[in-house]
Amino acid sequence: MARPPLTLAALATAAVAGLEVRAARAHSRGAGGAFDAVELHSTDGRHLLIRAPRSQTAESEQSADLVALRALTPGIRSRLPFAVPQFVGQAPIGPTRAVVTEFIPGAGRTAEELTGTPELAADVGRAIAAVHALPSGFIGDAGLPRRSAAEAREAAVAIIDRAADTGRLPAALVRRWEEATDDDTLWRFAPTVVNGQLGADSFLVEGDRVTGVIGWSGLAHDDPAHDLHWVLTSTGMSAERTLAAYLDARAGGADAELARRALLYGELELARWLLHGIDTHDDEVIEDAVGLLDGLVASVHDHSSDSLTTDTGPVLAVADVERMLDQTPRDQLPRESGATMLTDSYDVSELRRQLDAGGSGSEDDERDLGLTAPIPLDLSDWGDATPQSDEASAAAAKPTRGTGTHGPSA
């Protein structure tokens, strides 16, 4: 049951010394009901947000987010062209705690809206590049994760192996993904500071500018491609501008295979969804994931999805694809296959909360990398959710998504 706004407003006065609340209203931003959140206006002109988690997974996410926000010192924040939530106070509420942060103005947008106009799309690219350009020393100082290129590769292999062991992963995708992880060229990159759970829902926007980035529970030193897979799968008219602006801002710091790894990570989210369904014994999620994976096989076969390796290898005939699918065991439950993530049963906010977690910037390089090539797998609505990292996420739910107008998602 949702906690009343007045209850949380009163709790905020206990969390923040001297706070007098003038107005309060419920606030929500498509986190699938994981948090109760209230927007507060104080008598001294402050604009705050209080959030209380509704579940253990939401509490774990909130705790990880607090560690990250404390690691983002004023000096680090000054390097970013947007606002990051600032911790103000906290107070116990039942078995958990409510956290008060400064409210960041701005509206949430879908992936298509963020990449729909050249101006906003470019600002999104520059915002991502600013995160990746941060000095990495503070990550180790705060005890946050640091992963080498080899470790990033091993993590991808582990997901593929787990999904293959279920017997439900199409053989064509096992082959595609294993070829990508076997391609040494793909994994020659320098790790950077990453948000780690970046998606469309992470950005707050006013006009054509990014005003804030929220949801920092995945902050780490890792593969920069993790923060870009949602851009690769966006169908916004100016998605290519986001990538171009990112590369320009990195000034030669981005590796040549960044886009391929980003696409791989996007596809592996389907494997994560399958594993989530199996781990939680949710047949509906399993069948949804199997249908989506079959749809991805079709897009790979008709070449509407980009290659993940520098050597594309032989083209499979229709009979070969059908044979691979036949080799993959299936339950006899009816389902519809497709290449879209826009399904009623799929909700990335719950999945993300339950899952653990040098090229040049010239126009010629962008064409060579195939950065603007469209792909049919529509993962654009994945951004309307709250992220979380790999093994820390296991409880299933099917909340709805939406967009809103402010600070940390609720």
Side-chain angles (χ1 to χ4, degrees), residues 358-373:
S360 71
S362 70
E363 293 180 357
D364 288 341
D365 285 335
E366 292 157 27
R367 287 193 294 270
D368 291 342
L369 291 173
L371 294 176
T372 64

Side-chain angles (χ1 to χ4, degrees), residues 124-369:
V124 169
R126 288 188 290 267
I128 299 172
V131 176
H132 295 176
L134 291 174
S136 63
F138 78 98
I139 295 291
D141 293 341
L144 294 169
R146 297 181 65 94
R147 180 179 286 170
S148 67
E151 290 169 334
R153 185 184 201 173
E154 292 168 0
V157 169
I159 294 172
I160 297 167
D161 288 346
R162 283 191 62 207
D165 288 345
T166 67
R168 295 176 178 270
L169 185 63
L173 293 184
V174 175
R175 173 180 174 175
R176 173 176 169 86
W177 295 343
E178 287 183 344
E179 286 178 347
T181 54
D182 287 344
D183 187 350
D184 293 339
T185 304
L186 222 64
W187 303 94
R188 294 170 184 161
F189 68 89
T192 68
V193 174
V194 297
N195 172 279
Q197 299 292 345
L198 203 65
D201 71 310
S202 304
F203 296 91
L204 299 175
V205 173
E206 286 187 340
D208 291 326
R209 298 300 305 275
V210 174
T211 57
V213 172
I214 59 176
W216 291 85
S217 61
L219 182 63
H221 189 245
D222 205 336
D223 186 349
H226 279 300
D227 285 347
L228 288 162
H229 78 74
W230 70 273
V231 178
L232 268 291
T233 56
S234 171
T235 58
M237 295 293 291
S238 297
E240 62 185 47
R241 186 71 188 101
T242 298
L243 290 167
Y246 171 85
L247 292 173
D248 287 344
R250 290 294 307 276
D255 68 278
E257 300 302 327
L258 178 76
R260 294 186 193 274
R261 290 197 315 282
L263 183 56
L264 171 63
Y265 290 139
E267 293 183 7
L268 289 182
E269 289 295 302
L270 298 180
R272 291 172 180 268
W273 184 230
L274 172 65
L275 292 171
H276 170 62
I278 289 174
D279 290 343
T280 57
H281 308 288
D282 190 325
D283 288 338
E284 185 179 359
V285 170
I286 293 171
E287 290 305 309
D288 184 46
V290 169
L292 294 166
L293 289 163
D294 286 350
L296 178 56
V297 171
S299 70
V300 169
H301 171 67
D302 66 17
H303 306 295
S304 53
S305 189
D306 290 345
S307 170
L308 294 177
T309 62
T310 52
D311 180 7
T312 60
V315 176
L316 294 178
V318 174
D320 294 330
V321 175
E322 291 175 346
R323 176 178 52 80
M324 286 184 170
L325 289 175
D326 289 340
Q327 292 173 353
T328 304
R330 300 284 192 272
D331 289 343
Q332 298 304 312
L333 298 175
R335 68 172 186 277
E336 293 181 2
S337 64
T340 174
M341 291 303 295
L342 300 176
T343 64
D344 291 335
S345 59
Y346 182 85
D347 191 294
V348 74
S349 63
E350 185 64 21
L351 173 61
R352 284 176 174 169
R353 287 193 300 273
Q354 297 170 8
L355 292 172
D356 188 14
S360 71
S362 70
E363 293 180 357
D364 288 341
D365 285 335
E366 292 157 27
R367 287 193 294 270
D368 291 342
L369 291 173

Side-chain angles (χ1 to χ4, degrees), residues 103-115:
F103 185 93
I104 299 177
R109 295 286 184 261
T110 66
E112 280 67 39
E113 290 169 335
L114 287 174
T115 58

